[in-house]
Amino acid sequence: KQWYQRRVRGYDFERTAAGMDKVEQYPPGPDEGWDKPLKEAYNVRLENVSFRPANMRIAPVYRFNDTRVIYPDKISTCRERIFTAISKGYLYSSEKGEDGQLKTVQTNMHLLGCTMEANEGSVNKKMYGNVHKNGHVLL
């Protein structure tokens, strides 16, 4: 997280020096999904990197190398599930108990981080998805 904060602070500094406003958070808040348009245009002027026009809405990304489609609304759903887990204090595991219901695991920062990253420590990749990586792909 600190790495990203430093990157955004550096980018904000450059924007301020150029007379521009600071970067706005996207999605704007925990109650808002990925259906909001990206207000600002973006052009990195790099070869093989596409330009993003102002007020563009995020569309599904079709990944041909692994035949997956990443949908913005799926990320919103997974993000909401993670916020719910934080407020309740537990995550649903991928294992079922004797009653057929998903088991719960008391949450902590490590488990939340692993679940956001969908790495080996993720509690339930199917339920919570890969919010971090897929967010990068969509943006």
Side-chain angles (χ1 to χ4, degrees):
K1 184 176 178 180
Q2 290 177 351
W3 183 87
Y4 286 107
Q5 289 172 339
R6 285 193 305 267
R7 298 281 298 169
V8 170
R9 279 195 303 266
Y11 189 60
D12 280 342
F13 177 79
E14 290 176 16
R15 289 173 58 90
T16 302
M20 301 170 71
D21 292 331
K22 291 182 177 181
V23 175
E24 290 184 27
Q25 178 179 329
Y26 188 88
D31 297 328
E32 299 188 47
W34 289 71
D35 58 338
K36 303 287 183 207
L38 290 158
K39 292 180 183 179
E40 289 192 50
Y42 186 72
N43 187 359
V44 294
R45 294 183 179 90
L46 295 174
E47 190 175 325
N48 300 321
V49 177
S50 60
F51 168 77
R52 182 182 72 217
N55 296 310
M56 185 184 105
R57 292 201 177 270
I58 295 178
V61 172
Y62 299 89
R63 296 183 57 124
F64 297 106
N65 58 337
D66 59 9
T67 66
R68 286 186 305 142
V69 180
I70 300 170
Y71 295 97
D73 58 337
K74 171 78 173 169
I75 292 181
S76 291
T77 299
C78 292
R79 186 171 176 253
E80 288 169 24
R81 289 176 180 163
I82 291 171
F83 279 121
T84 299
I86 292 167
S87 67
K88 289 185 175 185
Y90 62 85
L91 293 155
Y92 286 105
S93 138
S94 55
E95 299 174 17
K96 291 187 179 181
E98 292 178 16
D99 59 359
Q101 300 295 316
L102 291 175
K103 291 181 179 180
T104 59
V105 178
Q106 187 173 359
T107 191
N108 59 47
M109 291 306 290
H110 177 72
L111 287 177
L112 283 171
C114 290
T115 301
M116 288 287 289
E117 295 284 339
N119 64 22
E120 290 300 314
S122 178
V123 175
N124 187 336
K125 291 180 187 179
K126 190 170 185 177
M127 175 174 259
Y128 298 108
N130 190 340
V131 175
H132 178 233
K133 179 181 171 192
N134 289 339
H136 279 287
V137 171
L138 286 176
L139 291 176

